[in-house]
């Protein structure tokens, strides 16, 4: 079983940046699986933002955020990160990291493909 814990959320003004981190406290993310970042705005479904095949290092991004976010992994620290730039109020949401055994489905950024989830971290962007 993999346990995940996000950190780094907070409040920021529009145009600012945030870096989210996800710590895997069980398992090891350097194996060839898939990890991803998702967000959920109030009243909306959870949406996939970015994922990475942890073995091959292949990255996938949703078109809606491509160019503004970067997913990365640190094998030594066993963490997953999400760098977010040029934030806008519409980015306000709870952000989740997730783990999937199905690396072949990593590019789909589909919530149903992910087995384990963190508790989420709130990001609030003010105008």
């Amino acid at each position: 079983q993999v346990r995940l814990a996000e950190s780094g959320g907070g409040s920021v003004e529009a145009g600012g940046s945030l870096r989210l981190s996800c710590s895997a406290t069980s398992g090891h993310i350097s194996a060839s699986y898939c990890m991803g970042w998702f967000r959920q705005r109030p009243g909306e479904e959870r949406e996939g933002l970015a994922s990475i095949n942890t073995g091959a290092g292949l990255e996938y991004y949703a078109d809606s955020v491509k160019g503004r976010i970067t997913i990365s992994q640190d094998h030594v620290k066993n963490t997953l990160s999400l760098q977010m730039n040029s934030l806008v109020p519409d980015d306000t949401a709870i952000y989740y990291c997730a783990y999937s055994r199905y690396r072949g489905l990593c590019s789909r950024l589909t919530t149903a493909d992910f087995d384990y989830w963190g508790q989420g971290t709130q990001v609030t962007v003010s105008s």
Side-chain angles (χ1 to χ4, degrees), residues 66-101:
K66 192 179 294 184
R68 293 197 300 122
I69 67 170
T70 303
I71 190 171
S72 61
Q73 58 179 336
D74 186 322
H75 294 292
V76 175
K77 296 181 179 179
N78 217 29
T79 58
L80 182 75
S81 297
L82 185 70
Q83 177 68 40
M84 303 189 296
N85 301 319
S86 303
L87 288 164
V88 297
D90 199 41
D91 292 319
T92 295
I94 299 175
Y95 285 70
Y96 299 89
C97 72
Y99 177 100
S100 172
R101 294 167 290 172

Coordinates of all heavy atoms in Angstrom, one line a residue, residues 66-101:
K66 N -1.1 23.1 -19.6 CA 0.2 22.9 -20.2 C 0.9 24.2 -20.4 O 0.3 25.2 -20.9 CB 0.0 22.2 -21.6 CG 1.3 21.7 -22.2 CD 1.0 21.0 -23.5 CE 0.2 19.7 -23.3 NZ 0.0 19.0 -24.6
G67 N 2.1 24.3 -20.1 CA 2.9 25.5 -20.2 C 3.0 26.3 -18.9 O 3.9 27.1 -18.7
R68 N 2.1 26.0 -18.0 CA 2.1 26.7 -16.7 C 2.5 25.9 -15.5 O 2.8 26.4 -14.5 CB 0.7 27.3 -16.4 CG 0.2 28.4 -17.3 CD -0.9 29.2 -16.8 NE -2.1 28.3 -16.5 CZ -2.7 28.2 -15.3 NH1 -2.2 28.8 -14.2 NH2 -3.7 27.5 -15.2
I69 N 2.5 24.6 -15.8 CA 2.8 23.7 -14.7 C 3.9 22.7 -15.1 O 4.0 22.4 -16.3 CB 1.6 22.9 -14.1 CG1 1.1 21.9 -15.2 CG2 0.5 23.8 -13.7 CD1 0.1 20.9 -14.7
T70 N 4.7 22.2 -14.1 CA 5.7 21.2 -14.4 C 5.7 20.1 -13.3 O 5.7 20.5 -12.1 CB 7.1 21.8 -14.5 OG1 7.1 22.9 -15.4 CG2 8.1 20.8 -14.8
I71 N 5.6 18.9 -13.7 CA 5.6 17.8 -12.7 C 7.0 17.3 -12.7 O 7.7 17.2 -13.7 CB 4.6 16.7 -13.1 CG1 4.4 15.7 -12.0 CG2 5.0 16.0 -14.4 CD1 3.3 14.7 -12.3
S72 N 7.5 16.9 -11.5 CA 8.8 16.3 -11.4 C 8.8 15.3 -10.2 O 8.0 15.3 -9.3 CB 9.8 17.4 -11.2 OG 9.6 18.1 -10.0
Q73 N 9.9 14.5 -10.2 CA 10.0 13.5 -9.1 C 11.4 13.6 -8.6 O 12.4 13.9 -9.3 CB 9.7 12.1 -9.6 CG 10.6 11.7 -10.8 CD 10.2 10.3 -11.3 OE1 9.7 9.5 -10.5 NE2 10.5 10.0 -12.5
D74 N 11.6 13.2 -7.3 CA 12.9 13.1 -6.7 C 13.0 11.7 -6.1 O 12.3 11.4 -5.1 CB 13.0 14.2 -5.6 CG 14.4 14.3 -4.9 OD1 15.0 13.2 -4.8 OD2 14.8 15.4 -4.6
H75 N 13.8 10.9 -6.7 CA 13.9 9.5 -6.3 C 14.6 9.4 -4.9 O 14.3 8.6 -4.1 CB 14.8 8.7 -7.3 CG 14.1 8.6 -8.6 ND1 13.0 7.8 -8.8 CD2 14.4 9.1 -9.8 CE1 12.6 7.9 -10.1 NE2 13.5 8.6 -10.7
V76 N 15.5 10.3 -4.6 CA 16.2 10.3 -3.3 C 15.3 10.6 -2.2 O 15.2 9.9 -1.2 CB 17.4 11.2 -3.3 CG1 18.1 11.3 -1.9 CG2 18.4 10.8 -4.4
K77 N 14.5 11.7 -2.4 CA 13.5 12.1 -1.3 C 12.2 11.4 -1.4 O 11.4 11.6 -0.5 CB 13.3 13.6 -1.4 CG 14.6 14.5 -1.1 CD 14.3 16.0 -1.2 CE 15.5 16.8 -0.9 NZ 15.3 18.2 -1.0
N78 N 12.0 10.6 -2.4 CA 10.8 9.9 -2.6 C 9.6 10.8 -2.6 O 8.5 10.6 -2.0 CB 10.6 8.9 -1.5 CG 9.9 7.6 -2.0 OD1 10.1 7.2 -3.1 ND2 9.2 6.9 -1.1
T79 N 9.7 11.9 -3.4 CA 8.7 12.9 -3.5 C 8.3 13.2 -4.9 O 9.1 13.0 -5.8 CB 9.0 14.2 -2.8 OG1 10.2 14.7 -3.4 CG2 9.3 14.0 -1.3
L80 N 7.1 13.7 -5.1 CA 6.6 14.2 -6.4 C 6.3 15.6 -6.2 O 5.7 16.0 -5.1 CB 5.3 13.4 -6.7 CG 4.7 13.7 -8.1 CD1 5.5 13.1 -9.2 CD2 3.2 13.2 -8.1
S81 N 6.6 16.5 -7.2 CA 6.3 17.9 -7.1 C 5.5 18.4 -8.2 O 5.5 17.8 -9.3 CB 7.6 18.6 -7.0 OG 8.4 18.3 -5.8
L82 N 4.9 19.5 -8.0 CA 4.1 20.2 -9.1 C 4.4 21.7 -8.9 O 4.0 22.3 -8.0 CB 2.6 20.0 -9.0 CG 1.8 20.6 -10.1 CD1 2.1 19.8 -11.4 CD2 0.3 20.6 -9.8
Q83 N 5.2 22.2 -9.9 CA 5.5 23.7 -10.0 C 4.4 24.3 -10.8 O 4.1 24.0 -11.9 CB 6.8 23.9 -10.6 CG 7.2 25.4 -10.7 CD 7.4 26.1 -9.4 OE1 8.0 25.5 -8.5 NE2 6.9 27.3 -9.3
M84 N 3.7 25.3 -10.2 CA 2.6 26.0 -10.9 C 3.0 27.5 -11.0 O 3.3 28.2 -9.9 CB 1.3 25.9 -10.1 CG 0.9 24.4 -9.9 SD -0.7 24.2 -9.2 CE -0.5 25.0 -7.6
N85 N 2.9 28.0 -12.2 CA 3.3 29.4 -12.4 C 2.1 30.2 -13.0 O 1.1 29.5 -13.5 CB 4.5 29.5 -13.3 CG 5.7 28.8 -12.8 OD1 6.0 28.9 -11.6 ND2 6.4 28.1 -13.6
S86 N 2.2 31.5 -13.0 CA 1.1 32.3 -13.6 C -0.3 31.9 -13.2 O -1.2 31.8 -14.0 CB 1.2 32.3 -15.2 OG 2.5 32.7 -15.6
L87 N -0.4 31.8 -11.9 CA -1.7 31.3 -11.3 C -2.8 32.3 -11.5 O -2.5 33.6 -11.4 CB -1.5 31.0 -9.8 CG -0.7 29.7 -9.5 CD1 -0.2 29.7 -8.1 CD2 -1.5 28.5 -9.9
V88 N -4.0 31.8 -11.7 CA -5.2 32.7 -11.9 C -6.2 32.2 -10.9 O -6.2 31.1 -10.4 CB -5.7 32.6 -13.3 CG1 -4.7 33.1 -14.3 CG2 -6.1 31.2 -13.7
P89 N -7.2 33.1 -10.6 CA -8.3 32.7 -9.6 C -8.9 31.3 -10.0 O -9.4 30.6 -9.1 CB -9.2 33.8 -9.6 CG -8.4 35.0 -9.9 CD -7.3 34.5 -10.9
D90 N -9.0 31.0 -11.2 CA -9.7 29.8 -11.6 C -8.9 28.5 -11.2 O -9.4 27.4 -11.3 CB -9.9 29.8 -13.2 CG -10.9 28.7 -13.6 OD1 -11.9 28.6 -12.9 OD2 -10.7 28.1 -14.6
D91 N -7.6 28.7 -10.8 CA -6.8 27.6 -10.3 C -7.1 27.3 -8.9 O -6.6 26.3 -8.3 CB -5.3 28.0 -10.4 CG -4.8 28.1 -11.8 OD1 -5.2 27.2 -12.7 OD2 -4.1 29.0 -12.1
T92 N -8.0 28.1 -8.2 CA -8.4 27.8 -6.8 C -9.1 26.4 -6.8 O -10.1 26.2 -7.5 CB -9.3 28.9 -6.3 OG1 -8.6 30.1 -6.3 CG2 -9.8 28.5 -4.9
A93 N -8.5 25.5 -5.9 CA -9.1 24.2 -5.9 C -8.3 23.4 -4.8 O -7.3 23.9 -4.2 CB -8.9 23.4 -7.2
I94 N -8.8 22.2 -4.5 CA -8.0 21.3 -3.7 C -7.2 20.4 -4.6 O -7.7 19.9 -5.6 CB -8.9 20.4 -2.8 CG1 -9.7 21.3 -1.9 CG2 -8.0 19.4 -2.0 CD1 -10.7 20.5 -1.0
Y95 N -5.9 20.3 -4.4 CA -5.0 19.6 -5.2 C -4.6 18.3 -4.6 O -4.2 18.3 -3.4 CB -3.7 20.5 -5.5 CG -4.0 21.6 -6.5 CD1 -4.8 22.7 -6.2 CD2 -3.5 21.5 -7.8 CE1 -5.1 23.7 -7.1 CE2 -3.8 22.6 -8.7 CZ -4.6 23.6 -8.3 OH -4.9 24.6 -9.3
Y96 N -4.6 17.2 -5.4 CA -4.3 15.9 -4.9 C -3.2 15.3 -5.7 O -3.1 15.4 -6.9 CB -5.6 15.0 -5.0 CG -6.8 15.4 -4.3 CD1 -7.7 16.3 -4.9 CD2 -7.0 15.0 -3.0 CE1 -8.8 16.7 -4.2 CE2 -8.2 15.4 -2.3 CZ -9.1 16.2 -2.9 OH -10.2 16.6 -2.3
C97 N -2.4 14.5 -5.0 CA -1.5 13.6 -5.7 C -2.0 12.2 -5.7 O -2.8 11.9 -4.8 CB 0.0 13.7 -5.2 SG 0.2 13.0 -3.6
A98 N -1.7 11.4 -6.6 CA -2.2 10.1 -6.7 C -1.2 9.1 -7.3 O -0.3 9.5 -8.0 CB -3.5 10.1 -7.6
Y99 N -1.4 7.8 -7.1 CA -0.5 6.8 -7.5 C -1.3 5.7 -8.3 O -2.4 5.3 -7.8 CB 0.1 6.2 -6.3 CG 1.1 5.0 -6.4 CD1 2.4 5.3 -6.4 CD2 0.6 3.7 -6.6 CE1 3.3 4.2 -6.5 CE2 1.5 2.7 -6.7 CZ 2.9 2.9 -6.7 OH 3.7 1.9 -6.8
S100 N -0.7 5.3 -9.4 CA -1.3 4.2 -10.2 C -0.4 3.1 -10.5 O 0.8 3.4 -10.8 CB -1.9 4.8 -11.5 OG -2.3 3.8 -12.3
R101 N -0.8 1.9 -10.4 CA 0.0 0.8 -10.8 C 0.1 0.6 -12.3 O 0.9 -0.1 -12.8 CB -0.6 -0.5 -10.2 CG -0.6 -0.6 -8.7 CD -1.4 -1.8 -8.3 NE -2.8 -1.5 -8.5 CZ -3.8 -2.4 -8.3 NH1 -3.5 -3.6 -8.0 NH2 -5.1 -2.0 -8.5

